Amino acid sequence: MLLDIEQIRKDFPILKQTVNGKPLVYLDNAATTQKPVQVINRMVAYYENENSNVHRGVHQMSQLATDAYESARKYIANYIHASDPKEVIFTRGATESINLIANIFETFVNEGDEIVITSMEHHSNLVPWQQLCVRTGAGLIVIPVNEEGELDTDQFKNALNEKTRLVALAHISNVLGTINPVKEITQLAHEMDVPVLIDGAQAIAHIPVDVSDIDCEFYTFSGHKAYAPMGIGVLYGKTEWLDKLPPYQFGGEMIESVHFDATTFNELPYKFEAGTPNVEGALGLEAAIRYIDKHGIENIRKYEDELLAFATSQLNLIEDLQIIGTAAQKTAVISFIVDGVHAYDIGTLLDKMGIAIRTGNHCAQPLVESFGLTGTIRMSLAMYNTKKEIELFMEALIKVLSMLR
Ligand code: PMP
């Protein structure tokens, strides 16, 4: 095995918790991941040694904080293969990153134009575009998924035309686990001169992310789904696009000079970072990405794929259980339903046995409804999960089903 899972588990203090007297089996990683001591300690160290406001003071503390904040940006830019650190904007998370673009994109969208999304989008990558369409009179074009939960690139070819202003889609579905062919779709969009935004919320902790290779105009993710704290995330944008888009919020930091009758704006990335930023979050995010990088994203992917294959084979043994999302390219998210049993009841009883999974529509109501469902049960894995935990989950599930059926 390429990962030392026992050591990795020791790095995550919360995994020692018990729930209802049972050892915690945490299988809700698509909602948020737990945090290793390396991330927690980095934030504590910041408040003990470096805390100050950034980009403002001449004093030494401010310089320390600014240097740390900017080197976090540099590290993350390098990790995702951005061509310049100024292309990495710190935000509160994927939702804020997408809203940022959807709000200021109004400049480029007129009545009769079209925005293309897919039916597998999280509400965060659906409602902001829908509302942009409401405000501008543009049309929202939705590319459907097939029964396996895959996209058909031909459908993009057919949908893209001279009215298309943007394509927005998930790198990985938080319900189906499908890994989308984002590079191929980006190429298709570029043939029509259409920019592409990729929602990488479910990708960053699980597969390599290379924005230069994908060649997308925008890429977004949240730190908290990648072992980093909540309240920090990234909007990557190509310089040429970030330069031509107007600011999103106004205030300190994002200005160059201010007069009562006019203001000029700061250069990238500060133009999009109004107000005091989440410095400890950025440092925590850097520590989290370093933690991923130390173990190697390809090793993590391989290990999670093994867990995925094991869990899938075990679940397939259960009568009347159906996995929703069986794409050939898939990552460690498994949604399923069991005939005649309500997802919520299964989730509640599993919790009594110390097992944390998610039930419901997972903030993707139109997708779940397109499968004729109101909800699924979802287990989602991370690098610290084990085969033993999947066995505990299976034992508990079998017990729960015998109680409910
Ligand atoms: N997109 C996807 C695919 C997600 O899974 C999530 C979170 N579940 C989001 C966007 C939104 O992330 P956040 O709430 O951290 O902004």
Side-chain angles (χ1 to χ4, degrees):
M1 196 190 306
L2 294 158
L3 298 181
D4 181 352
I5 303 300
E6 221 171 285
Q7 181 53 48
I8 287 172
R9 288 184 70 81
K10 283 188 194 145
D11 288 339
F12 290 80
I14 211 170
L15 297 179
K16 295 188 203 85
Q17 294 272 338
T18 53
V19 172
N20 295 317
K22 303 275 182 351
L24 167 66
V25 175
Y26 187 78
L27 299 173
D28 193 18
N29 295 289
T32 198
T33 55
Q34 301 304 342
K35 321 303 171 197
V37 283
Q38 288 82 348
V39 168
I40 299 166
N41 290 348
R42 180 65 191 95
M43 291 189 291
V44 171
Y46 169 70
Y47 282 117
E48 284 182 350
N49 306 309
E50 296 152 286
N51 178 47
S52 210
N53 211 328
V54 290
H55 307 132
R56 287 162 200 220
V58 286
H59 59 83
Q60 191 173 334
M61 276 300 163
S62 177
Q63 203 50 54
L64 272 182
T66 304
D67 289 350
Y69 182 65
E70 289 308 324
S71 63
R73 192 193 310 276
K74 218 181 266 176
Y75 185 82
I76 293 157
N78 195 41
Y79 183 78
I80 63 170
H81 302 269
S83 50
D84 196 299
K86 69 182 180 188
E87 296 184 322
V88 167
I89 313 292
F90 285 121
T91 64
R92 281 197 299 124
T95 303
E96 189 177 50
S97 300
I98 297 165
N99 272 282
L100 191 164
I101 296 299
N103 270 286
I104 57 184
F105 227 73
E106 210 166 310
T107 326
F108 297 101
V109 178
N110 295 306
E111 193 174 344
D113 288 345
E114 292 176 350
I115 303 287
V116 174
I117 63 166
T118 83
S119 69
M120 70 166 79
E121 300 312 314
H122 186 281
H123 296 161
S124 293
N125 198 31
L126 186 167
V127 186
W129 306 115
Q130 177 194 64
Q131 294 304 307
L132 170 64
C133 290
V134 169
R135 291 196 303 276
T136 58
L140 189 68
I141 308 299
V142 183
I143 308 289
V145 297
N146 66 16
E147 270 180 31
E148 282 73 41
E150 292 169 324
L151 294 170
D152 175 358
T153 46
D154 279 346
Q155 301 239 19
F156 279 90
K157 265 188 215 153
N158 297 338
L160 290 160
N161 62 55
E162 66 291 342
K163 290 182 286 181
T164 316
R165 290 292 157 265
L166 182 108
V167 172
L169 82 156
H171 199 164
I172 294 178
S173 160
N174 66 311
V175 179
L176 309 165
T178 312
I179 305 174
N180 287 318
V182 287
K183 187 175 173 179
E184 205 179 330
I185 293 167
T186 301
Q187 265 166 8
L188 289 175
H190 287 177
E191 281 166 22
M192 298 296 293
D193 280 331
V194 173
V196 178
L197 178 142
I198 314 277
D199 167 11
Q202 294 297 340
I204 191 74
H206 304 283
I207 60 171
V209 169
D210 183 335
V211 293
S212 294
D213 182 54
I214 300 170
D215 201 26
C216 54
E217 278 59 37
F218 307 105
Y219 193 98
T220 66
F221 62 90
S222 299
H224 71 96
K225 292 178 197 284
Y227 313 109
M230 292 185 174
I232 187 76
V234 163
L235 165 67
Y236 157 81
K238 280 185 183 170
T239 302
E240 59 165 304
W241 272 94
L242 294 178
D243 270 341
K244 69 181 164 193
L245 287 165
Y248 165 58
Q249 289 180 333
F250 302 91
E253 201 84 357
M254 55 74 64
I255 48 81
E256 180 189 54
S257 82
V258 179
H259 307 278
F260 283 120
D261 55 354
T263 292
T264 55
F265 305 126
N266 206 340
E267 59 189 14
L268 292 175
Y270 313 111
K271 176 176 142 187
F272 292 108
E273 291 185 1
T276 298
N278 179 359
V279 178
E280 85 276 16
L283 303 190
L285 179 56
E286 177 190 358
I289 302 285
R290 280 185 188 277
Y291 189 80
I292 291 174
D293 211 16
K294 180 176 95 175
H295 294 289
I297 191 71
E298 288 292 2
N299 295 336
I300 293 169
R301 181 180 189 177
K302 194 157 174 281
Y303 176 67
E304 290 179 354
D305 278 352
E306 284 167 22
L307 292 182
L308 173 69
F310 178 63
T312 305
S313 66
Q314 292 295 298
L315 284 167
N316 278 333
L317 297 174
I318 296 187
E319 214 178 310
D320 298 330
L321 183 149
Q322 190 196 341
I323 292 178
I324 308 296
T326 50
Q329 295 297 318
K330 186 174 167 172
T331 187
V333 172
I334 311 179
S335 275
F336 62 93
I337 49 163
V338 184
D339 274 358
V341 188
H342 202 284
Y344 179 81
D345 295 337
I346 295 179
T348 309
L349 288 175
L350 284 175
D351 176 56
K352 299 266 179 289
M353 301 178 189
I355 294 174
I357 47 98
R358 175 66 54 116
T359 64
N361 66 32
H362 317 294
C363 298
Q365 190 179 347
L367 172 70
V368 171
E369 284 176 359
S370 74
F371 279 87
L373 304 169
T374 53
T376 74
I377 302 135
R378 181 187 72 184
M379 75 185 289
S380 50
L381 304 160
M383 66 191 286
Y384 43 65
N385 287 128
T386 62
K387 205 171 152 195
K388 173 82 193 148
E389 286 183 309
I390 293 169
E391 284 166 353
L392 286 171
F393 164 77
M394 289 306 301
E395 269 170 41
L397 179 65
I398 289 165
K399 214 179 277 176
V400 164
L401 292 179
S402 72
M403 288 157 75
L404 292 172
R405 291 209 271 209

